[in-house]
Amino acid sequence: MNAREQVITLHGRKVVPGVAEGEAMVTNDRISGWGGVDPRTGTIIETRHELRGQSFAGKVLVFPGAKGSSGWSATFHMARLSGAAPAAFLFNEMTTKMALGAVVTHAPSMTEFDRDPLTCIETGDWVKVDADRGIVEITKKKDRAPS
């Protein structure tokens, strides 16, 4: 890390254990699994979603939570089998579909943060999720770091 990089640390509760890191993909919209995601590519296909046309494959997905039917977990399980799943999940609202989706994806997942990740993390930030320790480290994009 150089002097221009800003690191923010969040603490939260582990949902799925593990450690992963990657570029953040952030949305304030909930994600619909059944009909809202192409599980072969991890691309969001929901018509009115702010991330429509973008893939979360290999990224740290930061979002409020799941919406829609119980098909959410099946979609994310298929994304994992296709190699198109997120590297990790950071979300605000725990529901049964969110919990099951995180478990079948096998991606480190966290919730119940000391600060809202949707206000601390921006798309393009580098995020390390250590769900085992309940810690998220965010390295802000260099072009956003204070001088």
Side-chain angles (χ1 to χ4, degrees), residues 26-116:
V26 181
T27 179
N28 286 303
D29 290 348
R30 295 179 182 284
I31 295 178
S32 175
W34 193 257
V37 172
D38 179 346
R40 297 166 299 171
T41 62
T43 302
I44 296 174
I45 58 174
E46 185 178 347
T47 304
R48 292 181 183 88
H49 199 282
E50 68 177 333
L51 296 179
R52 181 184 169 108
Q54 297 180 49
S55 174
F56 51 60
K59 297 185 178 173
V60 175
L61 186 57
V62 184
F63 65 121
K67 72 176 180 181
S69 72
S70 57
W72 206 88
S73 57
T75 298
F76 279 81
H77 175 68
M78 291 302 297
R80 179 182 67 84
L81 294 176
S82 299
F89 289 117
L90 303 178
F91 58 94
N92 290 334
E93 184 184 2
M94 174 62 84
T95 61
T96 54
K97 69 180 134 283
M98 186 63 239
L100 182 56
V103 168
V104 300
T105 305
H106 300 184
S109 303
M110 293 177 59
T111 193
E112 295 180 14
F113 299 96
D114 56 353
R115 293 190 296 172
D116 184 352

Side-chain angles (χ1 to χ4, degrees), residues 10 19-27 31 51 55-63 76 84-91 107-110 113 117-118 121-130 135-139:
L10 302 180
V19 178
E21 59 185 292
E23 182 181 345
M25 175 179 262
V26 181
T27 179
I31 295 178
L51 296 179
S55 174
F56 51 60
K59 297 185 178 173
V60 175
L61 186 57
V62 184
F63 65 121
F76 279 81
F89 289 117
L90 303 178
F91 58 94
S109 303
M110 293 177 59
F113 299 96
L118 294 170
I121 305 171
E122 298 172 271
T123 295
D125 290 343
W126 191 259
V127 180
K128 180 178 181 184
V129 178
D130 186 340
I135 295 173
V136 176
E137 292 177 338
I138 304 122
T139 303

